[in-house]
Amino acid sequence: MEPIQALNQRYSTKEFDQEKKISAEDIEKIKGMLQLAPSSTNVQPWHFILATTEEGKKRVAKGAVGTFSFNEPKVLDASAVVVFATKTDITDEFLHHISEKEDQDGRFAEQKFKEMNHNVRKMFVDTHKFDLKDLYHWSEKQTYLNVGSFLLGVAELGIDAVPMEGMDMKALDEEFNLREKGFTSSVVVSLGYRKSTDFNAELPKSRLDQAEIIEEV
């Protein structure tokens, strides 16, 4: 499917068909999308909980309580659910870990290129950590870059999705011990196939006109 076609067909799914399941082959593609998403300086400050079992979805649904209970069916009825979490800090140890992985993957023809790459990435991280003092906010921007490419990717597979910030993120952190692992929940995306009764499926897409939002120079 062409990207523009996928963008035209995708929408925020309100009702999932419990009987329709994502294939094992597509689940593997979904994992690949999460892994391969871009991030500034390739810093990859994220962690994912992928729930495909009923037990797993029930655990994620613990975040859809109280004020957010309206989102519970979108978790339980979906075929799969992804919790996108963001690193709460980026340490020098983690930066070296990334460099070593890049080295193993053959990205550096010479040692000096590895050192230069590491120093540039550390400069950006330190700028946000010490000067701008917005390291977590910057890191979460990278997570949302992943969410954006992910929504397009699953749409190209013909999989419906809905991203949700309307969740108790603290409850999710506690359920999956994310803070102890150095992460905190940012957004949840449910995946599957739309139900025939989903009112949002047939509504026309509405966006601001190109003339209003695009300035060609």
Side-chain angles (χ1 to χ4, degrees), residues 36-140:
L36 294 171
S39 60
S40 179
T41 70
N42 198 33
V43 72
Q44 307 167 72
W46 46 51
H47 185 77
F48 312 101
I49 305 296
L50 174 59
T52 58
T53 65
E54 294 306 309
E55 179 184 356
K57 289 185 291 183
K58 286 178 182 178
R59 293 182 67 187
V60 177
K62 291 181 180 180
V65 295
T67 305
F68 307 117
S69 59
F70 61 89
N71 275 329
E72 184 180 36
K74 299 185 188 76
V75 174
L76 296 178
D77 295 345
S79 178
V81 185
V82 182
V83 179
F84 288 72
T86 304
K87 287 187 74 68
T88 55
D89 189 20
I90 297 177
T91 63
D92 287 348
E93 180 182 11
F94 180 69
L95 294 179
H96 283 294
H97 173 60
I98 297 172
S99 289
E100 290 305 316
K101 183 63 169 69
E102 290 172 332
D103 197 5
Q104 292 171 20
D105 290 337
R107 289 188 59 83
F108 309 117
E110 299 180 35
Q111 177 67 24
K112 65 178 181 180
F113 298 142
K114 177 180 178 181
E115 294 171 357
M116 289 169 56
N117 192 71
H118 169 77
N119 290 337
V120 169
R121 183 157 46 226
K122 179 171 170 54
M123 178 194 71
F124 273 94
V125 168
D126 285 350
T127 295
H128 286 282
K129 181 181 290 189
F130 300 113
D131 301 330
L132 300 177
K133 303 186 188 306
D134 68 344
L135 181 62
Y136 175 74
H137 181 60
W138 178 75
S139 297
E140 193 170 47

Side-chain angles (χ1 to χ4, degrees), residues 136-156:
Y136 175 74
H137 181 60
W138 178 75
S139 297
E140 193 170 47
K141 286 181 179 180
Q142 314 315 314
T143 300
Y144 273 82
L145 280 176
N146 195 314
V147 174
S149 65
F150 184 71
L151 291 175
L152 175 58
V154 295
E156 290 181 325

Side-chain angles (χ1 to χ4, degrees), residues 147-177:
V147 174
S149 65
F150 184 71
L151 291 175
L152 175 58
V154 295
E156 290 181 325
L157 290 177
I159 296 172
D160 294 315
V162 58
M164 296 174 287
E165 290 182 316
M167 302 285 285
D168 185 335
M169 300 304 178
K170 182 178 181 181
L172 290 175
D173 287 355
E174 293 174 349
E175 176 64 26
F176 296 103
N177 298 316

